[in-house]
Each structure stands twice: as structure tokens, then as C-alpha cells.
Amino acid sequence: ANLKKINGDLQAQEAQADVIKSKTKAKPAASKPKVEEALKKIKMMQQELDEANKERDAVTVMLPEIAAEYRELGGHAWHNGDTAKAQSYYEKALNAYTKCMGPEHPEVACSMGDLANVYCDQGRFPNALELYQQAHAIHAKAFGPDHVDTAGDLASLGLVHAVQGNHKEALPLLKDAYDIMGKSLEPGHPNLVQVKQFLDKTAEVVAA
């Protein structure tokens, strides 16, 4: 389907419908058959418009640029503390990335991580864990187990377990994440430092 063609058809059909509506209103004394015919045409055009709108939406959601825009809007909302709006945009981004790139693309995994972050802020930890697990599986398949993005998912899983008080489950995840990140990141890298802090804190709790 061609998005420009769909938009052009929509505009043409809307213009025709407006003309028929105006003629119908301008001639209140018109015979009943003519009025009924005009209304029938309007109804048919509205159905065509609805179908064209559906087709346009299907084409639009297939564009990676649209997915990226949703993701950016979600990021703005999240950083501004509007988790409800962030969730809405991130869900749209995830849906768009999945449709235009396939369910196992790394961008889909990153989008899952975005939405999982929001779920964490909302206290929806089971939902967050599910998405982080899916993201980890996608990254591991695409990049391998020793990639930084794969390790990032492990760290996220560990943090969610730790927040829920499941420190014994969190500790090996955080340790693996730290070991993998340490192979690729500089010692002072913010992500590595943050994981180390959570790892040490979790280890202390487990050892207590």
C-alpha cells in the first residue's frame, strides 16, 4: 500500500461526501428517493473512508520512524514522571517495532526494556520480570551471552528480584551481569559502577 495514495483517496472521498451533504441540506424539498440515494452514497463513502483509515494505520505502524517517535515520546514522559503516558507510548513503540522489524529484533528487546522500566516504577514487578526475561532471550540470541546488552538484561532482572526482597535470586544475576560488563566496559563506566554497587549491597544482605 502507498501511504500518499491512501491519504489522497481519503481527501478526495471526504470532499465528495461534503458536496453531497451540502446539496442535500440545500434542497430540503428534494424528492425522498433522491435524498435516500444521497444518504446511501454518503454511507458507502464513509465505509470506504473507514477501510482506508484502517489501511493507512496499518501502513503507518510499519514504519520504524513511527516506532522511534513513540519511543522518544515515552522517554520524555517517563523522565517527567508521567508513568501512565510513558506506558502508553512505550506500548505503542513495542507494537510498532514488533510489526515492522519482527519479534526477535534487538530493537524489540530494547523497547521491552523501556516498558519494563515503567512497570517497575508502577510496582508491577511480575510484568517487568516477564519483559526483561523476553528481552534477555532476544539479546542472547542476537548478540550472544557475553554482550553488554545481554548483561544489561541480567542486571535488570537482578535488580527487580532485589527490590522484591529476593536477594538470593538477585545475587547470581547481578554477579553474571557485572562479570560480562567488566569484559567490555571501562572500570569507571556508570553502568558498571551502578551494577557493582547493587551487587555489593545484595551480597551484604545475603551474607547477613
Side-chain angles (χ1 to χ4, degrees), residues 64-165:
E65 293 83 0
I66 298 299
E69 184 174 345
Y70 281 141
R71 189 179 184 187
E72 183 177 356
L73 290 170
H76 286 309
W78 185 46
H79 289 298
N80 288 331
D82 192 341
T83 58
K85 186 176 291 185
Q87 177 187 336
S88 176
Y89 282 128
Y90 279 150
E91 286 175 344
K92 291 179 180 179
L94 178 56
N95 180 53
Y97 275 127
T98 302
K99 286 187 175 181
C100 68
M101 294 185 169
E104 296 185 346
H105 195 281
E107 284 291 351
V108 173
C110 291
S111 189
M112 287 177 173
D114 293 335
L115 184 55
N117 291 338
V118 173
Y119 285 160
C120 285
D121 286 351
Q122 295 173 336
R124 298 170 59 182
F125 300 117
N127 300 103
L129 281 173
E130 182 179 356
L131 285 178
Y132 285 138
Q133 288 167 347
Q134 293 178 31
H136 176 258
I138 294 172
H139 279 142
K141 184 175 181 179
F143 301 139
D146 294 328
H147 193 273
V148 172
D149 288 348
T150 308
D153 297 324
L154 289 176
S156 296
L157 286 166
L159 290 174
V160 175
H161 279 299
V163 169
Q164 295 182 97

Side-chain angles (χ1 to χ4, degrees), residues 10-29:
L10 282 174
Q11 293 174 359
Q13 290 172 343
E14 286 172 347
Q16 291 177 23
D18 288 340
V19 170
I20 293 175
K21 287 178 181 178
S22 63
K23 288 182 177 180
T24 303
K25 291 178 180 178
K27 297 180 179 180

Side-chain angles (χ1 to χ4, degrees), residues 154-177 198-199 202-203 206:
L154 289 176
S156 296
L157 286 166
L159 290 174
V160 175
H161 279 299
V163 169
Q164 295 182 97
N166 302 322
H167 295 95
K168 290 184 178 180
E169 289 84 354
L171 186 59
L173 293 168
L174 292 170
K175 187 177 185 306
D176 288 346
F198 282 111
L199 173 60
T202 302
V206 172

Side-chain angles (χ1 to χ4, degrees), residues 176-187:
D176 288 346
Y178 180 74
D179 290 342
I180 295 171
M181 288 181 173
K183 297 175 182 178
S184 303
L185 303 178
E186 295 294 328

